[in-house]
Structures are given as C-alpha cells and as structure tokens.
Amino acid sequence: MRNFFFSVLLYFISCWAFAQTYSVSGKIADDKNQALSFSSVLVKGTTQGTNANADGFYVLKLQPGTYELIFQYVGYRKKVEKVTVEGNVIKNVTLNPESYELKEVVIKDGEDPAYAVIRQAIKKRKFYLNEVNAFTCKAYIKGLQRLKDFPKKMAKLINAMNTSGGEKIDSTLLGVVYLSESETKYHFRKPNDEKEIMYSSKVSGDNKAFSFNQVSDMKFSVYENLISLDGLSDRPFISPINENALLSYRYKLLGTTFEDGKMLNKIEITPKRKTDPCFRGIIYIQENTWRVHSADVYLTKDAKIDFVDTLNIKQLNAPVNDTIWMPMSLNMTFNFKVFGFIGDGYFNAVFSDYDMHPVFPKKFFKNEVLKVEDGANKKDTSYWGGSRPVPLTVEEQTDYRKKDSIGLIKNSDRYKDSLDRDGNKLTFSDLIMGYSYNKTAKKFSLNTSGLLTSGVQYNTVEGVNASLKVDMNKRYENNRYHDVAATARYGFSNYLWGGTINWKYMHKPEKFESYNIKIGTSALQFNGNDPINPTMNTSYTLLNNENFMKLYKKTYAAFNFRKELINGLITTFHTEYAERSVLRNTTTDLWVDDKNKIFTSNDPLHPHTDDSSFTINNSFVVELGLSIRFKQKYYTRPHEKIIVGSKFPVINLSFSKAIPGLNTRADYDLAKISIDDNIKLGLVGTFAYRLKGGYFLTNRYVEFMDFKHFDGNQTILANNDYLNAFKLLPYYTYSTKNWYAEGHAEHHFNGFIFNKIPFLKKSRIQEVVGGHILFNDKLDQYYEINFGVEHILQIIRVDYILGYGPENSFNQGFVIGLGLEF
C-alpha cells in the first residue's frame, strides 16, 4: 500500500513538472541596437516558435530542458543560441546583416545570373505547390491600424451634422483605431479543402466583437501563379516565379551567402512595366533545391491597389521535417491616405505546431470554411497573458487598458442612457435631415426622415408628392430583431393619401429565417422592380416633357417567409391579397416646355388615351421559391452565418399562382428560373452573367401589372443592377403574359487593356464590356452591346450602347451609372 501511494505521488509530481513552463524572453535587434520588428524565433527540431513584436521583444514559453533557439529575420544572418530552461530566462540577441558576396560571374548574352536561378525556381514551382497533401497548424494573428491625421474641414462639417450624440471626429481619435488578436486552428487537404476554427478572439474596447483576422486572408504563396489579395485589388498579382514571370519581371542577383551549409541567392525583383500587377523587393532562393527561402516584397499605388498606398509583405519559410518547408511567419505592413485620412498599420501572423500527416474525421471538410467558437471572445486577460505568443508593445498595452476601461463605462446602462438623453434632443437639423431616438441599453432605435430626406418628387399622376418614413428597431443578444417601418405619402395634385406598415422579424439569423407582414395602400409602378428612378423621372418630367413613370394604386396585405433548409438551399414563401385600381394623370405642369413633345397617358398600353386598359380588380397570389447553390462556402459566428460563395452558379426557381374566387379575378400560373454566376479569370478580369426565363402555364386572366415586365431604360441614368437591366429598352413595349427568355453578361477587364495604353495606364479607370439579349412572344430578337469605362473619379461609370431590335431597327446611346469604388 505504501508503494502504491509513493507511485501515485511520483506520478503527480512528474505531471506537475511536465506542465510547468517558463518564459524565455528578450529583445532582437541589429548591430546598431535597432529593433528587428516581427523577427522570428524557432525551437530547433520542432515547429514551435513565435515572432517578436513591433518593438523587437519576444516571449517563448518552454518546459524545463535545454533547447537550441533559432533567431531569424529576412535579410539577416540566422543565429542559433543554446538555452537551458530551469526558470524564466532573459535572452537578448543581436543579428547581423547577411553578408552577400557577388563573385565574378560570366554574363551570358548580357543576362544577369539571377535569371538562371529564377528559371530553375519556375521549374520547381509546381512541385513545391503540390508537395503537401494535408496539414494542420495553429495560427496567431494580430492586427493593428493607426490614424495619424484627418481632414480638419471635413471633420468640422461631419461634426456639425452629427446631432445624434455619436462620437465626434477630433484629435482623440488619433492613434490606434483598431487592435485585435485571434488564435485559430487551420486545416487543409488537397486539392482545395480547408477549414479554420477560431477558438479565441480579442478586440480592443469591445468584448462582444469578434476579430476579423483570418488565416485565409494571410495566405501568401509565391508558388501560386497568381496571388490574390482580396479587398485590395480587383485583379490578382503575378508571382515572381509565375510560369510566365520572365515576361513581367526583371531580376538582379544581389549576392549569395551560405545558411546551414546551403547557398542562398538574394534576388531583386522589379516589374518590367511600372503599372503591371507585380511585386517589387527581394526574394531569397536556395541553390540546388530552388525553393523560396523567404520574401521581402511590396506593392505601391502603381500596381493599382485600393485603400492603401504601400503594402509590404515579409514571409519566412522554414523546414517542418526533413523535406518540407512551410511558412513560419508572415507580416503585412501598410500605410494609407484616403480623403485626407492618413494612417498605417500591420497584420502579423505566427504559424506553429504543424502536423503534416493529420487524420481528419469523416465529413470533417464540408462547406464551413471558418467557424468562430461560441466562447471565443470570452477569454480573459489571464488567458491571453499565458497564451499570447507575441508580447504586446507599450502602445498596444496602453490601448487595451484605455479602451477596455472606456468600454466598461460605455457598455454601462448609465452611460448609454446619458448619451441617449443628449442625442435624443430634437434640433433644427433633425427636422431637415431626420430625427433619431435611441434607447441604446435596451437596443431600441427609432428613426424618421427629414424635410430633405423625405423624398419630395414629382410625377404627372400625383403632381408634387412627399413621403414621411418612420422606422423602429428592437435587437436582441442572439442577433434576432424586430423591425417596424411605416411610410405615409401624399400627392398634392390627385389628393391621394397612401401609406404602408411593414413588420419584419428575424427569428434565426444563422438560418436566414425571417417573417414579414406588410399592409398598405400605395401608388406603385406597374413593374414591381421600379426600373424608373423617381428623382430621374422628376427631372425628365419637369425639364424634358417626358413622363416615363406609370403608376397604379394598390391596396394590399402580404406575408413573406424565408429560411435556409440546408446549406445552399433557401426557400421562400409569399402570399398577397390586393385590390388594384386605375390612376390617371392629374397635372401637366413643367418647367421647360418642349413644343415637339407632349405627355403620354398613365396607361402603358395606350399612351395616347386616358381610357385605361384595366378596371378595378382584386388578386390573391401565392408564390413559392427556391434558391440553390451547390457546395456553398460559408463562415459561422455565434448566431450568424456569412455566405462567401461557391464555384457553382446560383439557381433560382419560383412558381406563382393567382387563385380566382374570394372576390378575385386574377387567374394564372407562372414558372420562372434564373441562373447567375461571377467567374474570376485571373489577369484577364471577371466575367459575370445572369440568364432568366419564364412561362405562363396558364393565363386565363392576367392584368397588366401581373405581366412579366423587363427592366428597361429611356434616360441617361443607368440602372446600377447591370445584370438585370437593359440600357435602351422601352419600359413596357415588350411586356408579356406568355413566355420570355433573357440573358445579361458583362466582363470587367480590371485594367487588363488600359494598363497597356500609355496615356491610360496610370489612371485608375477600368474597361468593361457587356451583352444583353431578350426573346419573347412579342419580340423575335433584341440585342444590346455595351462598351464602358468604370471607376471614373472612383464613383462613375459611362457606357456606350448599341441596340438592335425588331425589323432591323438600330439604336444607340450613352448612359451614366453611379457606384462607390475605393
């Protein structure tokens, strides 16, 4: 018995000793004692390691024992230090710049010797790209952004308009504006299966938020032919060892050195053409193996990157076993200047604990590519103190203390109520721009439109008309919410009141499950997609004698339901009971009278007579819909699902039935299908299409508002839904109650052509072409081809369109579209 207790005691002592860890910490600097930011520390013979922080300080947690630590920084000589850990150890390290020798070499045909190295690396590119069948690793990512300056005049204007009690733009916002950390487990299996599980997340000042840091956003491999940096550019960037890289890059051998007995080539890369999507900087390639040891490259505005002026990328690769090298660290630093806002920041990733022979459970890889665990944002300070592999800088520590303290105050009900009391006071500007009432602690808000935002418009049916909007919203902890929106509308010429009440309940956000009830009486366009912009119609009516908008009165009650049944399969249900009645023109007022034009009637079928083609009628319609996307990829957060796409198109099916009886006359059955997709084609650009078709299985009684209408356009302003609209098609001429087929396609070259034209390549404008086609029982053929230029002044797109219609009719014109693009 005594031996038993002694054995148990020894067991617990050994477990305690094994669990006990100490820290090895210090500063990594160069020979001038300048910090080497984000330098790497690896434990030799393992995949365990860390990075230094921005100030060069590192911390590595180790169990008692003797270790060899490898200290590395791109462009510096690697240093190996033996450390015995029996307690906490301070180990400061100085790294010296690598001495690269450029021996006398034979220049063959005037070619730099770097080209021979690059050709060998290109030959090995596919081998290293496909070398790994599967792996898992841990990743720690820290992101930080600073604001250094802001436009004072713009801030003054924004502050003057901010009467709701929100934060002002002033000098207190300077400094760190975003600081976040995350820990994830990343899983990969060939060819393209990946899954990332974020198990801890911290955002400075907001203990309820989740970090946006993701391994998928930090993936950078020169072995890929094209390197995508989503969010920073529409087009991918050419790898320095792309199979055709010699057409895009110049190379220069800066020297060679030896590391672990193997020669390392230091090669400078520069684009042959300044505006090509290419990197600049240094890559290090190991002789004979021709693997990329590390990279220190950057992009500038010349490469057409968005949001930032300069992006620097440093990546260090290291062996994880006898044959395979994997990334150990990746650092992205950037600076930006947007609309006078100036700042900088970085994202730093540390990869460790590689398993190159993982065994995945059956069906582990489905379509969920990122999962944020429920308690990821609940980890406390002590957890992060023990888990964080990269120590915080003084700046980061200060930001956490400051914002977490402020966050405690701001998240208190007392503070929220005091802020609401100030913000809820009615001011003169609220009457002009709209009023907001908030009970932040209870997650309740109420918003109304103002005189300038109430939508004062003009048309020949209502004359001057104005709308007042009120929206009430109540949110809950699990992302559920109730929203009630009400509008009131009055036409000053036809003395017609209208209004709607719309209630929406988001029941299960992670399933997109919502319920919606809407009742009202309104003047609506015959085409429910509202192809005619009310403001543009106002301008054309008053200034050009053209009243394109055609309206009818609808009094209705409707119910909608939406839910995702399984991933990629969303069902919708819609039912509506409505009374539809005639509206006629009641005014001919205008500002500029063109004697060659007269207003048309409000009847689209009979534009020259006020005798309407329909009489008051009722309808009862039921519609079922399915949206299908195979192998749809998605992210999940607690009570939230974010769809990120699929390599397959979206297929939408619907069936509508108008049921007669119940004092209703409408009687038809309509089946519809649409298919759309967006396909990335690398450097050539992006191709997008949408195909649609429909067939009235029965059409015993179909009023004109129930016809299938097409989104046409007869104004200078384009419909910004370019894959759903025609540019020159009349609004109602070819509406049908039988069958139709239409197709829309556009190719965005993302600068592929303009980048090669001298006087255009420095601009940020990009080229786009498109085609549109329509067939139905009224129309043998209708085609449109558009040639456009987009990103003009970042927000404008201009298209020239050629249209070819029935009886060989030909049409052409220009349209202008608006859309923000930064």
Side-chain angles (χ1 to χ4, degrees):
M1 181 65 70
R2 184 174 59 185
N3 289 337
F4 171 76
F5 282 112
F6 182 70
S7 299
V8 172
L9 180 61
L10 285 177
Y11 171 77
F12 281 108
I13 291 174
S14 64
C15 289
W16 175 85
F18 184 77
Q20 182 69 31
T21 61
Y22 298 100
S23 65
V24 178
S25 60
K27 181 178 181 180
I28 306 173
D30 62 12
D31 53 358
K32 297 179 182 178
N33 201 34
Q34 296 296 311
L36 296 179
S37 302
F38 313 114
S39 45
S40 297
V41 185
L42 301 175
V43 180
K44 189 173 182 179
T46 75
T47 62
Q48 184 180 359
T50 186
N51 276 11
N53 64 21
D55 294 335
F57 290 100
Y58 75 95
V59 174
L60 189 62
K61 303 293 178 64
L62 295 171
Q63 294 168 0
T66 299
Y67 301 89
E68 287 186 293
L69 303 184
I70 303 171
F71 296 86
Q72 289 179 281
Y73 189 74
V74 176
Y76 283 71
R77 186 175 294 277
K78 180 170 67 175
K79 180 175 284 190
V80 180
E81 295 281 351
K82 182 173 286 190
V83 176
T84 299
V85 178
E86 296 175 342
N88 293 333
V89 177
I90 303 296
K91 188 69 177 178
N92 296 318
V93 175
T94 300
L95 298 182
N96 295 308
E98 187 64 84
S99 176
Y100 288 88
E101 295 182 5
L102 188 57
K103 297 181 180 179
E104 186 175 343
V105 294
V106 177
I107 304 296
K108 184 178 180 181
D109 298 327
E111 183 178 80
D112 190 282
Y115 284 83
V117 177
I118 291 296
R119 288 190 179 94
Q120 293 295 335
I122 291 173
K123 289 180 181 178
K124 294 287 286 186
R125 182 191 66 82
K126 282 188 178 180
F127 172 79
Y128 289 125
L129 179 64
N130 299 306
E131 182 181 28
V132 176
N133 292 315
F135 74 90
T136 65
C137 71
K138 289 184 179 179
Y140 165 82
I141 304 175
K142 183 196 296 180
L144 179 144
Q145 285 91 55
R146 302 181 190 89
L147 182 65
K148 292 186 171 182
D149 199 5
F150 59 87
K152 307 300 188 297
K153 291 183 179 179
M154 181 186 293
K156 186 176 181 179
L157 177 62
I158 294 174
N159 290 338
M161 297 172 61
N162 180 10
T163 60
S164 61
E167 288 193 34
K168 303 290 185 180
I169 299 178
D170 54 32
S171 59
T172 60
L173 292 181
L174 297 179
V176 177
V177 295
Y178 174 80
L179 172 60
S180 173
E181 300 172 275
S182 67
E183 294 178 305
T184 65
K185 185 71 175 291
Y186 181 76
H187 311 77
F188 171 82
R189 183 180 65 188
K190 286 176 63 175
N192 296 308
D193 291 331
E194 62 179 346
K195 186 171 184 178
E196 185 175 351
I197 300 175
M198 183 181 295
Y199 55 89
S200 57
S201 167
K202 183 175 177 63
V203 179
S204 181
D206 192 344
N207 60 8
K208 295 183 179 180
F210 294 101
S211 172
F212 289 101
N213 306 338
Q214 295 173 207
V215 173
S216 55
D217 292 334
M218 301 290 289
K219 291 170 67 178
F220 177 84
S221 173
V222 295
Y223 297 124
E224 296 282 356
N225 258 328
L226 298 174
I227 301 171
S228 295
L229 297 174
D230 293 335
L232 290 179
S233 177
D234 294 327
R235 58 181 183 173
F237 296 90
I238 301 170
S239 166
I241 56 171
N242 178 291
E243 59 189 358
N244 297 309
L246 297 178
L247 299 175
S248 301
Y249 282 98
R250 291 189 178 93
Y251 303 93
K252 182 179 180 180
L253 181 65
L254 300 181
T256 61
T257 188
F258 283 87
E259 182 178 282
D260 298 332
K262 295 181 180 179
M263 192 167 80
L264 204 60
N265 297 282
K266 181 180 182 180
I267 297 175
E268 181 182 43
I269 60 171
T270 55
K272 284 188 173 181
R273 290 163 293 275
K274 190 176 181 180
T275 55
D276 275 0
C278 294
F279 297 94
R280 299 171 180 269
I282 309 293
I283 58 172
Y284 301 83
I285 297 177
Q286 197 177 72
E287 189 80 7
N288 296 324
T289 64
W290 313 116
R291 70 170 78 249
V292 176
H293 171 280
S294 53
D296 185 358
V297 297
Y298 66 95
L299 297 167
T300 67
K301 279 289 188 182
D302 290 334
K304 308 289 182 67
I305 53 176
D306 298 324
F307 298 105
V308 300
D309 294 327
T310 304
L311 174 68
N312 293 82
I313 302 174
K314 287 185 178 181
Q315 185 181 57
L316 177 66
N317 302 315
V320 294
N321 56 33
D322 293 337
T323 59
I324 296 175
W325 288 44
M326 296 294 288
M328 291 296 165
S329 66
L330 178 67
N331 178 255
M332 295 182 176
T333 60
F334 57 87
N335 58 67
F336 63 86
K337 184 176 182 180
V338 181
F339 297 131
F341 291 89
I342 301 173
D344 61 14
Y346 69 80
F347 284 91
N348 184 40
V350 180
F351 305 101
S352 62
D353 295 354
Y354 277 98
D355 180 359
M356 306 310 295
H357 303 285
V359 177
F360 298 113
K362 189 177 181 180
K363 297 184 178 180
F364 178 78
F365 292 104
K366 289 186 177 179
N367 296 301
E368 182 185 47
V369 294
L370 171 66
K371 177 182 176 63
V372 180
E373 294 185 338
D374 285 352
N377 60 350
K378 301 295 189 293
K379 307 295 176 65
D380 58 18
T381 303
S382 61
Y383 169 85
W384 282 102
S387 178
R388 179 185 292 120
V390 179
L392 298 175
T393 64
V394 174
E395 178 186 39
E396 293 161 356
Q397 293 176 30
T398 302
D399 188 72
Y400 270 136
R401 283 196 300 268
K402 175 184 174 183
K403 289 182 181 173
D404 288 350
S405 298
I406 293 174
L408 290 175
I409 297 173
K410 287 187 174 182
N411 287 325
S412 68
D413 290 352
R414 183 177 179 181
Y415 176 83
K416 292 176 181 177
D417 291 342
S418 66
L419 199 66
D420 289 340
R421 279 194 295 271
D422 291 334
N424 291 339
K425 293 177 182 178
L426 185 65
T427 65
F428 177 74
S429 63
D430 290 331
L431 299 176
I432 303 300
M433 301 303 298
Y435 173 68
S436 294
Y437 176 86
N438 294 285
K439 294 292 287 184
T440 308
K442 298 183 180 297
K443 296 186 177 182
F444 173 82
S445 65
L446 181 147
N447 299 282
T448 69
S449 57
L451 294 176
L452 286 182
T453 58
S454 60
V456 178
Q457 309 290 346
Y458 177 81
N459 60 67
T460 54
V461 173
E462 300 169 289
V464 175
N465 58 86
S467 301
L468 175 66
K469 301 176 182 178
V470 179
D471 183 86
M472 293 177 288
N473 186 276
K474 169 66 177 177
R475 308 192 77 85
Y476 302 90
E477 289 292 338
N478 54 7
N479 290 333
R480 292 184 301 117
Y481 66 84
H482 288 277
D483 188 90
V484 178
T487 63
R489 176 179 172 129
Y490 183 69
F492 287 88
S493 179
N494 64 351
Y495 310 110
L496 180 67
W497 279 100
T500 62
I501 297 177
N502 184 24
W503 168 75
K504 180 178 180 179
Y505 174 47
M506 177 59 72
H507 178 55
K508 290 183 179 179
E510 64 274 18
K511 287 289 187 180
F512 308 107
E513 182 178 335
S514 64
Y515 303 85
N516 175 241
I517 295 175
K518 188 174 184 179
I519 60 175
T521 180
S522 304
L524 301 177
Q525 295 188 42
F526 283 91
N527 184 344
N529 291 335
D530 295 338
I532 309 165
N533 179 278
T535 301
M536 184 57 64
N537 181 75
T538 298
S539 300
Y540 269 78
T541 303
L542 292 174
L543 302 175
N544 207 43
N545 275 46
E546 292 179 299
N547 56 329
F548 294 121
M549 184 179 288
K550 308 303 177 186
L551 304 170
Y552 73 100
K553 181 183 176 183
K554 181 177 178 180
T555 302
Y556 62 96
F559 171 78
N560 294 283
F561 171 76
R562 183 174 187 260
K563 183 178 181 179
E564 185 176 54
L565 301 178
I566 58 174
N567 180 54
L569 180 62
I570 294 178
T571 182
T572 58
F573 172 78
H574 167 79
T575 184
E576 177 187 272
Y577 187 91
E579 178 190 85
R580 292 88 64 87
S581 55
V582 177
L583 293 176
R584 293 183 172 85
N585 289 341
T586 61
T587 180
T588 58
D589 293 339
L590 43 75
W591 292 347
V592 178
D593 189 3
D594 186 341
K595 301 300 182 180
N596 296 317
K597 298 178 181 178
I598 60 173
F599 286 139
T600 57
S601 76
N602 190 49
D603 185 351
L605 293 178
H606 303 92
H608 303 298
T609 177
D610 285 329
D611 295 330
S612 177
S613 61
F614 80 95
T615 58
I616 187 169
N617 66 88
N618 297 334
S619 69
F620 177 59
V621 178
V622 176
E623 180 177 10
L624 293 173
L626 281 178
S627 177
I628 306 167
R629 192 160 200 177
F630 299 104
K631 295 188 176 181
Q632 174 181 269
K633 304 297 183 183
Y634 62 93
Y635 301 157
T636 55
R637 294 181 176 185
H639 307 291
E640 184 179 15
K641 180 176 182 177
I642 302 169
I643 296 173
V644 295
S646 168
K647 63 180 180 180
F648 295 98
V650 177
I651 302 172
N652 292 297
L653 305 170
S654 70
F655 176 75
S656 303
K657 183 171 184 62
I659 303 173
L662 300 174
N663 198 30
T664 61
R665 285 192 294 179
D667 186 2
Y668 63 84
D669 299 275
L670 172 61
K672 296 187 292 185
I673 182 173
S674 71
I675 303 173
D676 59 87
D677 201 2
N678 193 303
I679 304 169
K680 293 183 178 180
L681 298 175
L683 295 175
V684 180
T686 304
F687 177 74
Y689 69 88
R690 179 172 294 156
L691 307 175
K692 300 193 293 184
Y695 186 76
F696 283 83
L697 303 174
T698 63
N699 57 1
R700 285 179 284 272
Y701 195 93
V702 186
E703 291 289 2
F704 189 68
M705 64 284 296
D706 299 320
F707 278 40
K708 169 58 186 176
H709 305 290
F710 306 100
D711 292 355
N713 183 50
Q714 294 173 257
T715 72
I716 191 66
L717 183 67
N719 184 327
N720 284 338
D721 187 357
Y722 288 95
L723 287 180
N724 204 45
F726 296 90
K727 311 295 185 295
L728 302 176
L729 185 74
Y731 295 110
Y732 294 108
T733 304
Y734 304 110
S735 299
T736 182
K737 62 175 181 178
N738 289 294
W739 64 271
Y740 68 94
E742 63 178 301
H744 306 268
E746 285 198 338
H747 185 81
H748 299 261
F749 286 93
N750 299 337
F752 179 74
I753 298 174
F754 285 178
N755 195 52
K756 296 172 177 59
I757 301 175
F759 63 92
L760 290 177
K761 65 182 181 180
K762 290 186 178 181
S763 70
R764 301 188 66 80
I765 63 174
Q766 297 178 358
E767 62 279 30
V768 57
V769 299
H772 311 268
I773 188 170
L774 173 64
F775 298 97
N776 65 23
D777 58 295
K778 292 185 177 180
L779 191 64
D780 291 336
Q781 56 185 4
Y782 179 81
Y783 306 93
E784 286 182 358
I785 301 174
N786 60 284
F787 305 89
V789 178
E790 55 188 347
H791 301 182
I792 302 171
L793 301 176
Q794 296 184 328
I795 64 171
I796 298 174
R797 169 174 164 172
V798 177
D799 284 88
Y800 170 68
I801 305 99
L802 295 171
Y804 182 77
E807 300 179 357
N808 299 321
S809 61
F810 174 79
N811 198 6
Q812 62 181 327
F814 287 90
V815 295
I816 300 174
L818 299 176
L820 293 177
E821 187 71 39
F822 297 104

